[in-house]
Amino acid sequence: MTDPLLRVENLKTQFFTDAGTVRAVDGISFEVREGEIVGLVGESGAGKSVASMSLLRLIEDPGEIVAGEITYKGETIFGLEEGPDGELREREDMLSNEEIRTQIRGNEIAVIFQDPMESLNPVFTIGGQLREFIELNRDLPKDAAKEEAIRMLREVGIPDPEQRYGEYPHQFSGGMRQRVLIAMALACEPSLIIADEPTTALDVTVEGQILELVDELQDKYDTSFLWVTHDMGVVAEICDRVNVMYLGEIVEQAPVDELFHDTKHPYTTALLNSMPRPDRTVGELEPIEGVMPEAINPPSGCRFHPRCPEAREVCQRVHPDAREVAHADGHPHRAACLKHDVFDAGYDESPPLETATQETAGVPAGGRSTGGPGGEDGATDLKDSVIEDGGEPTDGTRSDDRGETHE
Amino acid sequence: MEHAATTEVRPMSERTHTESAASETGATEPTASDETVLEVDGLSKYFTQGSGFFAGVSLDFDRFPPIDTEQERVKAVDDVSFEIRRGETLGLVGESGCGKSTLGRTILRLLEPTDGSIYFKGEDLADIEGGELRDKRSEMQMIFQDPQSSLDPRLKIGQIVEEPMRAHGMLDAGGREQRAKMLLEKVGLDPHHYNRHPHAFSGGQRQRVNLARALSVDPDFIVCDEPVSALDVSIQAQVLNTMEQLQEEFGLTYLFIAHDLSVIRHISDRVAVMYLGNIVELADKEELFENPQHPYTEALLESIPVPDPRKKGARGVLEGEVPSPVDPPSGCRFRTRCPKLIAPENYDLTDEKWAQTRSFMRAVKRRTFEPMPAERIRREFFDGDLPRGEAGEIVAEAIDVLPAERRRPDETAPESADGWTEATDLLLESFAQQSICARERPAYELEAEYGTAPHYAACHLHR
């Protein structure tokens, strides 16, 4: 198989704050191949945005990429080696900041952000901004750049582009602004576009329009996408392969069909079960218990174990990496869960954990058996999704993330 | 004149609510009770644009005196009628700017209605003022979208939950504290958090505090304005489940406003779809999702990304954007984007030729194609074959006035001179405005396929 367009290996990005080190991205590896749309999904705080910004080295103080290797078309975007005195230092073949700016950003890898209003300058016209971008990156004279800008605006479906070329960002609707950003991202015909929640702020019909547009443009230009989102619906709609992130790690990595229909990680399963569905009526939602802990002090062992319905004693001790548990469609299906044989961690013999019952909400440890909120429905719900409380031998590890999060 | 969704409209004073619904709708709804808690009738809310002393004054030299005090009014909610029965959840769904939040607030009289009536347990809220209205407020509460900004950061959780009780003079201090703690536990929080400040809580927990606060005065009816849209999906499920449990336990009636159709499908008993200030469709949940009868609802449903890669179907792509609510389209408000706009009767058009004419008209209006020779326009839009008769002549005339070549970028011809506007006006006047969709406001009641509740659809396809 040919080399992937982008290869990320064991990437770690940390933020050094007064309260301690936030391990926002903690050793993730993935690839993006040519012409592929790869999803990076997770809830807020999972580290997906930090991961995608690390790829362009757009991490600002107090954040820093501390380990890993990022290779793009054979060029090293980030890489470390051990110096003579055992210190880690940046490798010689790593691109300089200048090279990243002139050769990679925009030309090779472009970004589309969630909020188009923040990415466009409100005091310049849409056309002017697009033209300048094309002029600078493609070395075109002003007239040609303008013509190209208008062509791109029409390409992304902006009506009456000659007229709207001279308008300001506030005169555009949200969907139209997002189209402008897509035009800008495509203007230099990059090989990879990082799309960071590009449709999250949009209405569903507008989102449909944008997804359709992306599909068309991708067919035409064969651009690869890294699609960062929290929306499993969008993932199912456009992605070829998916990486699911939880608390700084990739817990599952699979082609899209396998991810949804042969799910291998309990977190992914729980995420899918907690969603209300547009296509059928779901009787009772099965929420994931508790909230995602802070990346500053992640749980021991598997990071999902305090909320995991399948957690066993071993999950508190052993920290699983994402390993290949199946192979589908020419791609590995990786999951970081000890229940799979490949880990050989003694999961089957390990006693089940009494999952810290409930909940978001910090119901006191003793007070929940009375049924909490609601009537009979509530009570059965608790029994179904949670192993009944009992001895709670492992209370210590879980007390951290039960109850409130301190922000 | 039509009355959306209500099976009957007459002054509420004539009826006592227990008998009314049963006698007239034939007692259809098995799940919710037949008692109507809220009935909205012809409710409108217009906003005047601009503010300041001279905001409403404009100069008009064609008349004397040359001053016009007519204000441009944004018709955020325009002639909306529906009812909600005790114990049911009515989902109100629509895209941003459709007026759903304004409707929710107007119902609670947080905004002054421009026109229409809001009968709450038989009493018209639009008529009462001051203290009387204040008293009513204890029976109606609201939960807002943003759990961050809807809680006062300086107050403790306990104080926040007790505040409405204090305002309505409920209980004594001890009783309020006891009730607040009870409610915190009911919504799934630790009563020991009574003395904490909101910042110590996550988004989902804050929304629970909002729930407890709304429940504190023991309301019958709660308007929930996007209560879970700021939450992550796993937390969202927790809060939704709690809301359902509370509804059952306290016998609450919800008006649940959201843009997320999945959430609406989960929580609602009946669903109303709003577009540009109007309700375009209202039906039982199953009926609305499985058997939608308005093209806008269909487009919405088709646009939702389904979390299943095997269900990748045709992505419903709606053309264009929502028109301005200042000057909404006549007749059906969705007609300017409707993929099923009905052909005007005065031309003899086949379905195929009408579809071509419609898409040509919209392409011209939105200028989505480059200027090109007439021959190519005929080929690309009409397969080289214009519609017959008068319709064909009009189309030919429009093609003639369109520019055949692109202006050079440096050439700045005045906008009106280039023929686009002329062609657009001609086509719109001859076709779009002749359609029944433009001439009459639709309102039809249909037989439901799922369930027995009436299915209201504002679309002339059902005429």
Side-chain angles (χ1 to χ4, degrees):
Chain A
M1 198 173 266
T2 52
D3 267 357
L5 191 65
L6 176 83
R7 185 199 298 272
V8 177
E9 268 171 278
N10 196 28
L11 177 71
K12 289 186 181 179
T13 306
Q14 302 182 345
F15 290 80
F16 301 95
T17 67
D18 292 341
T21 305
V22 179
R23 294 150 74 163
V25 174
D26 209 16
I28 63 169
S29 308
F30 65 94
E31 292 171 354
V32 180
R33 295 178 181 279
E34 256 168 59
E36 242 187 352
I37 301 186
V38 174
L40 198 57
V41 306
E43 297 179 275
S44 41
K48 51 197 193 304
S49 283
V50 174
S52 62
M53 288 307 101
S54 301
L55 303 182
L56 283 172
R57 303 220 318 244
L58 285 171
I59 299 296
E60 280 175 7
D61 207 45
E64 200 184 316
I65 305 176
V66 295
E69 191 174 321
I70 305 169
T71 323
Y72 173 81
K73 283 189 177 169
E75 305 249 33
T76 308
I77 289 183
F78 186 84
L80 295 175
E81 62 183 7
E82 205 162 293
D85 43 357
E87 284 266 306
L88 283 179
R89 62 177 188 199
E90 292 176 353
R91 282 202 331 238
E92 234 158 66
D93 59 347
M94 186 169 123
L95 295 173
S96 68
N97 284 340
E98 178 69 18
E99 283 167 325
I100 288 270
R101 199 163 56 232
T102 57
Q103 295 170 19
I104 301 291
R105 285 182 206 149
N107 280 320
E108 284 292 341
I109 305 179
V111 194
I112 304 170
F113 292 100
Q114 171 173 356
D115 184 353
M117 207 53 203
E118 272 179 26
S119 327
L120 292 167
N121 191 329
V123 301
F124 292 105
T125 62
I126 291 284
Q129 295 183 54
L130 187 53
R131 195 206 66 224
E132 184 190 15
F133 182 79
I134 294 171
E135 238 179 289
L136 289 176
N137 281 297
R138 285 171 55 179
D139 268 339
L140 286 174
K142 203 169 167 179
D143 280 359
K146 177 171 180 183
E147 198 136 328
E148 181 65 16
I150 291 176
R151 192 185 70 79
M152 286 312 302
L153 288 177
R154 178 169 284 120
E155 180 88 16
V156 296
I158 294 199
D160 196 7
E162 281 100 345
Q163 175 70 23
R164 306 217 69 174
Y165 180 89
E167 291 182 2
Y168 290 86
H170 74 267
Q171 292 168 293
F172 281 60
S173 69
M176 284 296 155
R177 285 199 284 260
Q178 203 56 280
R179 284 169 192 267
V180 171
L181 285 197
I182 292 175
M184 213 174 254
L186 282 171
C188 297
E189 304 195 355
S191 306
L192 176 66
I193 293 180
I194 299 174
D196 189 356
E197 303 259 14
T199 59
T200 304
L202 304 177
D203 272 322
V204 53
T205 57
V206 183
E207 176 178 77
Q209 292 172 348
I210 299 285
L211 294 181
E212 187 72 21
L213 174 71
V214 166
D215 251 4
E216 274 171 35
L217 294 172
Q218 207 227 357
D219 276 351
K220 191 161 165 188
Y221 295 96
D222 205 27
T223 317
S224 304
F225 279 86
L226 180 66
W227 200 278
V228 181
T229 182
H230 70 280
D231 186 337
M232 286 302 235
V234 173
V235 167
E237 194 83 29
I238 63 163
C239 290
D240 301 309
R241 289 191 305 116
V242 190
N243 301 289
V244 181
M245 281 190 82
Y246 184 78
L247 209 55
E249 299 179 323
I250 289 179
V251 294
E252 183 159 6
Q253 181 177 64
V256 67
D257 196 71
E258 274 67 30
L259 188 86
F260 283 84
H261 291 284
D262 187 18
T263 315
K264 298 287 191 200
H265 197 282
Y267 173 64
T268 317
T269 311
L271 203 56
L272 290 171
N273 288 343
S274 68
M275 282 191 310
R277 305 274 305 213
D279 55 336
R280 61 167 188 261
T281 303
V282 183
E284 181 91 28
L285 298 177
E286 296 171 28
I288 309 180
E289 307 302 326
V291 292
M292 195 189 302
E294 307 253 315
I296 206 163
N297 184 19
S300 64
C302 170
R303 291 187 177 176
F304 186 56
H305 86 258
R307 304 173 72 190
C308 181
E310 297 176 54
R312 302 213 173 166
E313 189 274 328
V314 63
C315 301
Q316 296 179 312
R317 290 183 284 108
V318 183
H319 182 203
D321 50 342
R323 289 191 200 170
E324 187 166 332
V325 293
H327 204 83
D329 214 3
H331 294 283
H333 186 157
R334 296 196 174 93
C337 179
L338 297 173
K339 70 177 178 178
H340 296 290
D341 293 342
V342 55
F343 287 91
D344 199 18
Y347 176 86
D348 291 337
E349 300 81 52
S350 182
L353 273 189
E354 318 282 341
T355 320
T357 330
Q358 290 298 300
E359 208 258 42
T360 110
V363 171
R368 62 185 170 262
S369 51
T370 48
E376 289 95 288
D377 270 4
T380 44
D381 173 41
L382 294 181
K383 272 176 208 138
D384 285 350
S385 52
V386 169
I387 306 158
E388 270 294 28
D389 55 321
E392 299 222 1
T394 55
D395 207 51
T397 41
R398 293 195 310 275
S399 55
D400 296 346
D401 44 78
R402 175 161 40 81
E404 67 287 328
T405 49
H406 298 277
E407 279 161 351
Chain B
M1 186 65 198
E2 67 288 297
H3 294 286
T6 47
T7 46
E8 75 295 305
V9 178
R10 59 185 168 106
M12 283 296 283
S13 50
E14 282 180 23
R15 54 152 93 169
T16 62
H17 25 258
T18 32
E19 66 151 50
S20 65
S23 63
E24 280 166 78
T25 58
T28 48
E29 189 65 46
T31 48
S33 92
D34 286 337
E35 181 190 349
T36 302
V37 169
L38 181 89
E39 177 172 335
V40 171
D41 180 20
L43 188 67
S44 298
K45 174 65 193 172
Y46 298 167
F47 292 100
T48 44
Q49 278 194 317
S51 55
F53 193 63
F54 289 111
V57 182
S58 57
L59 291 176
D60 179 2
F61 294 106
D62 291 341
R63 51 184 249 184
F64 186 82
I67 290 174
D68 186 3
T69 48
E70 273 289 294
Q71 302 205 354
E72 279 207 320
R73 302 208 290 177
V74 179
K75 299 180 174 111
V77 174
D78 201 9
D79 193 11
V80 164
S81 307
F82 60 85
E83 56 183 42
I84 308 181
R85 287 185 283 272
R86 180 174 293 283
E88 98 172 325
T89 302
L90 179 71
L92 182 61
V93 68
E95 297 182 281
S96 44
C98 73
K100 54 190 190 303
S101 289
T102 306
L103 177 57
R105 282 161 205 236
T106 311
I107 287 173
L108 295 187
R109 281 285 307 271
L110 298 175
L111 293 170
E112 220 37 53
T114 308
D115 196 14
S117 311
I118 309 149
Y119 299 105
F120 181 70
K121 294 183 176 170
E123 190 173 0
D124 190 350
L125 296 181
D127 280 347
I128 57 174
E129 294 293 335
E132 217 181 329
L133 179 61
R134 208 179 129 85
D135 289 343
K136 276 278 170 201
R137 288 249 164 84
S138 69
E139 296 173 46
M140 312 173 296
Q141 287 288 311
M142 182 151 186
I143 298 167
F144 297 94
Q145 168 172 6
D146 187 351
Q148 224 72 281
S149 58
S150 50
L151 299 177
D152 187 336
R154 292 169 305 175
L155 295 183
K156 291 173 180 165
I157 294 303
Q159 292 172 298
I160 290 175
V161 176
E162 285 172 24
E163 180 123 2
M165 292 189 268
R166 235 186 338 261
H168 287 283
M170 267 176 73
L171 304 171
D172 56 6
R176 286 198 290 264
E177 177 170 345
Q178 208 179 355
R179 182 167 170 81
K181 286 185 171 164
M182 181 274 285
L183 285 168
L184 286 176
E185 192 167 345
K186 287 283 182 210
V187 298
L189 289 168
D190 185 343
H192 297 106
H193 292 170
Y194 182 84
N195 278 323
R196 295 211 183 158
H197 288 275
H199 71 88
F201 292 84
S202 66
Q205 290 176 310
R206 285 197 195 118
Q207 210 53 299
R208 287 169 191 273
V209 175
N210 273 323
L211 275 170
R213 173 172 62 184
L215 289 174
S216 66
V217 287
D218 200 13
D220 293 315
F221 174 61
I222 303 183
V223 173
C224 317
D225 190 1
E226 303 264 13
V228 295
S229 41
L231 307 176
D232 265 322
V233 49
S234 65
I235 308 298
Q236 180 177 304
Q238 297 170 352
V239 174
L240 285 175
N241 282 350
T242 303
M243 288 183 72
E244 287 186 319
Q245 288 157 9
L246 292 172
Q247 176 170 39
E248 207 165 298
E249 184 169 349
F250 292 93
L252 299 170
T253 307
Y254 290 142
L255 175 64
F256 195 101
I257 303 172
H259 70 280
D260 185 332
L261 286 142
S262 317
V263 170
I264 286 284
R265 178 164 197 164
H266 178 72
I267 195 106
S268 308
D269 297 312
R270 288 188 304 143
V271 180
V273 181
M274 226 175 150
Y275 181 78
L276 205 58
N278 287 163
I279 286 182
V280 296
E281 186 160 7
L282 196 159
D284 262 0
K285 162 173 76 177
E286 274 317 297
E287 169 78 4
L288 189 106
F289 277 86
E290 295 301 329
N291 185 27
Q293 292 299 327
H294 195 284
Y296 177 64
T297 314
E298 284 172 31
L300 264 187
L301 293 178
E302 278 169 20
S303 313
I304 329 170
V306 178
D308 183 348
R310 291 181 190 170
K311 289 201 176 153
K312 239 182 263 188
R315 201 175 285 138
V317 171
L318 211 47
E319 301 170 65
E321 297 185 26
V322 186
S324 157
V326 173
D327 185 20
S330 61
C332 169
R333 295 198 166 171
F334 185 56
R335 69 175 165 89
T336 54
R337 306 169 74 194
C338 183
K340 294 182 177 170
L341 180 72
I342 298 168
E345 281 156 16
N346 38 347
Y347 308 109
D348 187 21
L349 283 161
T350 60
D351 288 352
E352 185 201 2
K353 286 297 152 196
W354 168 238
Q356 291 171 346
T357 310
R358 189 172 54 209
S359 61
F360 174 64
M361 173 177 80
R362 287 181 178 158
V364 171
K365 183 179 159 207
R366 300 197 181 105
R367 301 186 194 186
T368 50
F369 59 96
E370 300 261 1
M372 53 173 92
E375 203 37 54
R376 221 179 116 202
I377 295 183
R378 283 163 196 259
R379 206 170 53 237
E380 287 201 1
F381 286 94
F382 295 95
D383 286 337
D385 190 16
L386 292 190
R388 281 177 217 298
E390 202 190 337
E393 286 163 28
I394 295 165
V395 171
E397 197 185 330
I399 295 176
D400 276 347
V401 295
L402 282 177
E405 276 177 24
R406 183 135 68 107
R407 279 182 274 142
R408 288 192 304 282
D410 50 324
E411 194 183 331
T412 46
E415 195 49 33
S416 57
D418 63 6
W420 285 99
T421 319
E422 204 184 328
T424 306
D425 289 348
L426 176 68
L427 289 168
L428 289 182
E429 266 166 39
S430 316
F431 296 109
Q433 281 157 29
Q434 300 301 318
S435 166
I436 184 174
C437 303
R439 286 184 285 113
E440 283 172 39
R441 202 179 141 187
Y444 299 94
E445 201 154 291
L446 315 171
E447 290 267 310
E449 247 178 60
Y450 298 78
T452 46
H455 185 156
Y456 166 81
C459 178
H460 285 303
L461 285 172
H462 305 291
R463 70 192 187 277

